[in-house]
Each structure stands twice: as structure tokens, then as C-alpha cells.
Amino acid sequence: MIIVMKRDATPDDVTGVVERLRSIGCEAHVSEGQIQTVIGAIGDRDVISRLPWEAMPGVERAVPVVRPFKFVSRDFQPTDTVVDVGGVQVGGERFVVVAGPCAVESRDQLFRTAEAVVEAGARILRGDAFKPRTSPYSFQGLGEQGLQLLAEVRDKLGIPFVAEVLDPRDVGLVSSYADMLRVGTRNMANFTLLQEVGRQPKPVQLKRGFTATIEEWLNAAEYIYKEGNHQIVLVERGIRTFETAARNTLDITAVPVLKRLSHLPVMVDPSHSGGRRDLVLPLARAGVAAGADGIMVDVHPAPDTALVDGAQALLPDDFAELMDQVARLAAAMNRPL
Ligand code: PEP
Ligand code: MN
């Protein structure tokens, strides 16, 4: 149940509802919006719905939750969440481009890429130190050394970075370096990992599982939110369908669907969805036009030598061209870069 307070409800009215919920053995999650306060009631549905909430002082209405996810839904919070990534706002007025190498391979590779993407206007750097690889014999990432290089680049170039975390045991380590943690597609339903990233203070980028429905994805976000971390950005990165022409099928429909169902910011990853360099630009444009809050793009100074995902990485010049087109489209959507 979501209990929506009146605009002129007093702090005492809010406390009254919270205490009433606790008295029946339920938890209360208070969210103070700019306009009004809403209280999420967690506990036995039947017990909660039996009480006359709308008769209590300061209560405007009590809305039963019909969806399995609650806190990440727009019913709970009608206004958009804005996520702060080391000073960069995602989900606010400006469109955000995240760019960088799929994996950190060396200092030279990382610096060259980071300088190029900053120059072209990217505002968050990507680069992974832990890579989820289909084969156990493939390059697995540089680990902590990769995180140190990323932190060095951030400090030199003044750009925050996002990095993937694969294992609940590494959450503290990645969180101590990165400005944002990413849970990748293969881990979207790793509930222990979701809880762990929900208990640390850095914002989280949650990619869609490649076989997950939108509802399953929002439930994954709910796991993070429920632990206390409300700074979550959803990333559509393509799903597995019967189509084999591209690595994955970018589900562009997910963008407007999520915008209706949830208050969380949404990004599109045109690199991992298409899996091919020639598809990155058109899929990026589709993301902007569909109303995403940002995109995340793989860039590499020498894709033919890349240890991971070279086929989809853009060269710095191609990325600059993409930025130019994205800037013009985003401006047409009233989202300046
Ligand atoms: C990535 O962004 O580098 C990545 C591994 O993506 P995904 O989890 O979407 O495959
Ligand atoms: Mn990749």
C-alpha cells in the first residue's frame, strides 16, 4: 500500500501514519517529495488494507500496489529521480553520454580513450576492471590495478567513472574507487549482489538481463532500492530474441514503457545491443529519440587490438561524430548535452 499525504500534511500527521503502521507490525518507508510526502507500507497486505487510512489526519489517499515492485514505481514517486554521479546529474535537464573502453587494458589505452571522450563531450567515463566473460580463458580484467588507473584518470581529467562489479565480495573495493557501480546483464538477477550494492553509498547502473522482462528488471531495481540505495539508473542493452542479425535486439520500446512505470532514469547502450560498430550511431540516435536520459558507448583508440568487444568499439573520431549528431537530436528533444 502507498499512503499519499496531503500537500499541507504536518510532520505530526506523517509520524501518526508511521506509528500506526509500526503498531500493526509493518514497516514504513517515508519519501519526502517536493510537493507531498508518500509513505510506502510494507507488511501483510490484508492487515494493512483493513485499516481506514483515508480517515487519518493528513492522508489524501491510500493506493493499493498492484505491481510487484513498489518503491521504484511511479505510483510511489511521481517525480523523476535524478541520480548524482560524482557531480553529474543523470535524469535531470541535460542528456548524459557515458563513454570509454569496455575494459581497462593499460594506462596508455585508458588515458588515450579518456582524453578523446572528454574532448568530444562525454561527462562520465566507463571502463571495467572486472569483466564477465563467456569463456573462462578470456581476459578477465586488471582487477584493483584497473580501478587505480581509472581513479588516476578521474583525478587528472576531472571526469567521474562507472565500473562493473561482478562479485558481492568486491563491492567494497569497487565502491571505494568508483563514482558509480554497474551490475551487468549477467548479474541482473544475482540477488545477493543487488542487495550488496544497495547497502553501499555509490549510485548504481543496473543493466537489463538479456532474458529479463521489464517487470523482472524493475524487481531487480527494487532489491537495490529496498536496501537504502535510491540512486539507480536503468540501462537497456538489448535482449536475446530469435533474431540473429545483431548481437542482441535493442528493445527500444523499453524506454517509454519504463518512463511510465518508474521514476528512475533510463539509459540506452547502443554498443552492447548491436555488438557492431556500424549499428552504434543509429541505435544511439534511437535512444535519444525514444526519450532516454543518456547513452553509454564503447570507445577504443585501436579497436583491432582490443582485448574485449573490439568489434563494437568506436574510434575516437567516430565517437566525436556521434556526439555531434546526438547533441543535435538531444537539443531537438529539449535535452541539451
Ligand atoms: C559492459 O557494459 O561492458 C557489459 C559487460 O555489458 P553487458 O553486461 O550489457 O553485457
Ligand atoms: Mn563490453
Side-chain angles (χ1 to χ4, degrees):
M1 181 81 80
I2 295 171
I3 298 164
V4 182
M5 302 302 290
K6 290 184 179 149
R7 284 168 190 236
D8 60 358
T10 65
D12 281 351
D13 295 339
V14 174
T15 310
V17 173
V18 170
E19 278 172 4
R20 191 77 184 92
L21 278 166
R22 293 202 179 125
S23 74
I24 55 169
C26 297
E27 262 180 68
H29 180 103
V30 179
S31 169
E32 279 170 30
Q34 275 166 355
I35 300 170
Q36 58 203 138
T37 298
V38 287
I39 302 168
I42 308 162
D44 188 318
R45 268 171 187 249
D46 293 340
V47 176
I48 297 171
S49 59
R50 236 177 277 136
L51 293 191
W53 297 105
E54 283 162 8
M56 289 194 65
V59 174
E60 185 178 286
R61 62 187 198 278
V63 192
V65 180
V66 284
R67 306 188 203 285
F69 48 88
K70 181 192 312 244
F71 297 136
V72 301
S73 81
R74 268 218 196 267
D75 304 333
F76 179 63
Q77 182 187 308
T79 54
D80 289 340
T81 284
V82 177
V83 173
D84 185 289
V85 183
V88 173
Q89 317 282 303
V90 182
E93 206 187 315
R94 294 171 66 188
F95 190 83
V96 176
V97 179
V98 183
C102 182
V104 180
E105 298 167 12
S106 67
R107 168 182 269 107
D108 178 62
Q109 171 249 14
L110 183 62
F111 266 89
R112 280 170 67 198
T113 315
E115 278 162 2
V117 302
V118 168
E119 162 89 23
R123 288 195 292 137
I124 300 175
L125 177 69
R126 65 153 291 149
D128 291 341
F130 295 97
K131 290 308 304 176
R133 304 307 302 282
T134 304
S135 162
Y137 305 112
S138 302
F139 174 64
Q140 305 284 316
L142 296 181
E144 186 167 5
Q145 193 203 338
L147 294 170
Q148 285 165 349
L149 290 172
L150 285 157
E152 200 185 316
V153 170
R154 174 199 37 224
D155 298 342
K156 285 232 168 73
L157 304 184
I159 184 173
F161 75 88
V162 56
E164 176 152 359
V165 59
L166 291 178
D167 187 322
R169 292 170 296 187
D170 293 329
V171 168
L173 176 73
V174 181
S175 175
S176 71
Y177 286 97
D179 301 284
M180 179 182 225
L181 272 55
R182 186 170 68 251
V183 173
T185 193
R186 294 162 187 80
N187 269 317
M188 188 214 80
N190 181 339
F191 302 117
T192 322
L193 180 62
L194 295 173
Q195 284 171 328
E196 217 50 57
V197 297
R199 293 181 191 134
Q200 59 74 52
K202 300 291 176 64
V204 179
Q205 220 186 14
L206 178 64
K207 283 196 151 185
R208 180 182 188 171
F210 56 80
T211 60
T213 63
I214 290 173
E215 187 172 302
E216 287 164 340
W217 186 12
L218 287 170
N219 270 308
E222 187 86 3
Y223 263 95
I224 300 172
Y225 196 106
K226 189 172 176 299
E227 294 305 315
N229 190 341
H230 303 169
Q231 296 272 287
I232 307 165
V233 175
L234 302 164
V235 184
E236 164 60 40
R237 50 81 68 206
I239 51 175
R240 195 168 274 186
T241 66
F242 54 82
E243 181 54 70
T244 56
R247 183 172 174 182
N248 295 284
T249 300
L250 176 63
D251 179 14
I252 203 70
T253 312
V255 177
V257 169
L258 286 169
K259 285 278 164 199
R260 247 195 58 195
L261 289 177
S262 175
H263 52 82
L264 296 175
V266 180
M267 282 194 171
V268 162
D269 178 342
S271 305
H272 289 81
S273 32
R276 275 193 354 230
R277 193 165 303 129
D278 62 308
L279 297 177
V280 176
L281 178 58
L283 297 184
R285 286 192 300 234
V288 183
D293 299 290
I295 52 171
M296 179 160 75
V297 181
D298 280 14
V299 179
H300 198 289
D304 50 328
T305 66
L307 297 178
V308 191
D309 284 349
Q312 70 196 28
L314 294 185
L315 281 158
D317 283 353
D318 297 334
F319 178 68
E321 165 65 23
L322 173 141
M323 286 299 285
D324 191 51
Q325 295 203 21
V326 162
R328 280 186 280 139
L329 255 180
M333 304 279 298
N334 271 329
R335 298 294 289 279
L337 247 63

